[in-house]
Amino acid sequence: MSVVVITGSAGLIGSEATEYYASLGYRVIGIDNDMRQDFFGPEGTTRWNRSRLEKNLGANYVHYDVDIRDHDALSEIFLKYKQDIALIIHTAAQPSHDWAAREPLTDFHINASGTLNLLEMMRLHCPEAVFIFTSTNKVYGDRPNELPYLELESRWELDSGHPCYDGIPETLSVDQCLHSLFGASKLAADVIVQEYGRYFQLKTVCFRGGVLSGSRQSGVQLHGFINYLLKCAMTNSPYTIFGYKGKQVRDIIHASDVIAAFHAFFQHPRRGGEVYNLGGGRDSNISILETIEWAQHITGKKLNYSYCDQPRTGDHIWYISDTSKFRKHYPNWSIQIPAPQMMELIYDENKDRWKV
């Protein structure tokens, strides 16, 4: 049986991928030690999702409670499955700007060294596999903040004639700008994924995501803003907007659309360290203020929010992904679930779990 290895398998993207490939008949090897709970406390745990996967998928899912920094433990897994491994989806990460500044060494070793460990496992044990890395738009640092934004009533925006109106391209420089320590560690991982593809001619790819969302995310204040904001509205919990008047814009992509992109690449992989920006683009984007309005409409409750004038370090004023390169290479892929519909799905699937 062909094997798919998924790190962060109990997280948002990892669990979506786990269910998808198990449904296709693959044996899924999940690697997840619930570090998210260490990062964000009890509300950040993914253990509930791991239990759900093990219950629903049975023998098609094998879980390893392993840290991706543990080279020896990874070696045991990869030695067991070797050439049966057809695909590696690497989603495990430390995902927060703010947390990275508290423990820079831990952040770097998880995001960069952990990724290097997995690439070595692939090179040594299953070099014909496909390696998909969930990177981030934060590799561009605050470079997008240099664009000439216009202030509208509920959002910052670019003039429709600007070259970046349809989104940030992969050609935007990653140099000489402020990244945050999280952005720097993810950039290091991103570059090493590219290098293994180019130097060793492996089938590796970096997907630089915008805001990845969906019903199975354990949203917290420091990560997963759509889920966290909806949860705050549903549970009457306070929410804080950090900077930019709440008009900062994000493109939002549902986990199922992310996996569809991953699978398109897996079916027709390209060697040599490809890079794609992946997000909702012009089809699915929203500002914080617009998200609050939608959340109040969906839940029927008024969000208790406050404003802090200081934005997060390295945060973007506006970010929309230019996905034209990926769509050119994989023309059958497109966004299926735009932001408002996504928020309704998150609400419907969590309203019994998120209670006051």
Side-chain angles (χ1 to χ4, degrees):
M1 179 183 290
S2 292
V3 169
V4 176
V5 174
I6 300 175
T7 70
S9 57
L12 171 67
I13 303 302
S15 64
E16 190 83 22
T18 293
E19 290 184 294
Y20 181 79
Y21 283 101
S23 75
L24 295 181
Y26 290 90
R27 171 165 290 176
V28 177
I29 306 305
I31 299 173
D32 194 319
N33 63 340
D34 197 22
M35 277 292 286
R36 194 175 176 89
Q37 180 168 223
D38 292 351
F39 303 146
F40 306 126
E43 66 178 337
T45 185
T46 58
R47 197 162 297 278
W48 64 275
N49 207 13
R50 169 186 169 177
S51 297
R52 187 185 63 82
L53 293 172
E54 290 177 318
K55 178 182 178 182
N56 293 344
L57 302 181
N60 275 2
Y61 180 64
V62 180
H63 190 94
Y64 287 87
D65 193 356
V66 164
D67 192 314
I68 59 172
R69 293 170 291 178
D70 189 336
H71 185 277
D72 292 341
L74 289 178
S75 291
E76 289 185 19
I77 296 169
F78 277 78
L79 278 168
K80 181 174 182 178
Y81 296 101
K82 295 182 181 176
Q83 300 293 338
D84 289 339
I85 299 172
L87 173 63
I88 301 161
I89 298 178
H90 176 31
T91 77
Q94 189 300 109
S96 168
H97 292 288
D98 306 80
W99 198 95
R102 299 174 195 168
E103 294 192 32
L105 286 174
T106 304
D107 171 77
F108 189 86
H109 286 311
I110 291 172
N111 289 346
S113 302
T115 302
L116 180 58
N117 280 340
L118 290 159
L119 287 164
E120 268 294 274
M121 294 301 109
M122 175 193 183
R123 185 176 73 88
L124 295 174
H125 304 299
C126 49
E128 289 305 311
V130 172
F131 189 101
I132 294 174
F133 175 52
T134 310
S135 188
T136 171
N137 60 23
K138 301 306 185 293
V139 300
Y140 298 113
D142 65 355
R143 182 75 66 197
N145 290 355
E146 298 173 2
L147 297 173
Y149 298 115
L150 308 172
E151 184 176 359
L152 305 182
E153 183 178 355
S154 64
R155 61 164 48 204
W156 298 99
E157 191 53 275
L158 283 176
D159 183 272
S160 59
H162 193 277
C164 288
Y165 177 78
D166 287 328
I168 301 296
E170 292 85 355
T171 52
L172 186 72
S173 174
V174 299
D175 294 323
Q176 314 257 334
C177 56
L178 179 71
H179 287 81
S180 82
L181 291 166
F182 159 73
S185 65
K186 289 292 283 190
L187 177 58
D190 187 302
V191 171
I192 201 69
V193 171
Q194 292 182 57
E195 192 64 22
Y196 264 66
R198 291 189 175 93
Y199 195 88
F200 298 116
Q201 276 298 292
L202 302 176
K203 290 171 280 192
T204 69
V205 61
C206 299
F207 283 99
R208 295 173 174 171
V211 173
L212 315 182
S213 195
S215 304
R216 308 254 164 75
Q217 189 170 41
S218 298
V220 293
Q221 185 183 53
L222 300 184
H223 186 250
F225 97 90
I226 290 277
N227 291 65
Y228 179 67
L229 191 153
L230 272 167
K231 185 178 180 181
C232 286
M234 293 161 68
T235 60
N236 298 321
S237 301
Y239 181 85
T240 303
I241 299 170
F242 292 97
Y244 305 134
K245 302 181 182 180
K247 298 182 179 183
Q248 54 267 56
V249 171
R250 301 288 181 268
D251 68 342
I252 317 294
I253 183 169
H254 192 272
S256 62
D257 286 332
V258 173
I259 302 309
F262 287 3
H263 191 59
F265 184 89
F266 175 48
Q267 288 182 304
H268 301 284
R270 299 162 67 91
R271 290 184 185 270
E274 272 290 2
V275 173
Y276 298 110
N277 286 348
L278 184 67
R282 277 291 168 188
D283 294 322
S284 177
N285 63 85
I286 198 166
S287 74
I288 300 289
L289 291 181
E290 292 162 355
T291 305
I292 290 172
E293 184 177 349
W294 267 103
Q296 293 179 154
H297 171 73
I298 291 168
T299 64
K301 296 181 178 181
K302 186 173 178 60
L303 179 69
N304 173 23
Y305 68 91
S306 59
Y307 179 74
C308 173
D309 196 48
Q310 180 62 45
R312 290 192 169 108
T313 302
D315 206 13
H316 293 144
I317 299 171
W318 177 98
Y319 193 94
I320 290 177
S321 306
D322 178 356
T323 60
S324 60
K325 178 184 174 184
F326 184 75
R327 287 184 284 109
K328 180 180 179 181
H329 288 178
Y330 301 93
N332 291 329
W333 179 87
S334 63
I335 292 294
Q336 299 299 307
I337 304 176
Q341 181 184 347
M342 194 183 314
M343 292 178 67
E344 291 174 356
L345 289 171
I346 293 170
Y347 171 74
D348 287 340
E349 294 182 30
N350 287 285
K351 59 187 177 185
D352 293 330
R353 194 166 66 91
W354 292 341
K355 295 180 179 179
V356 177

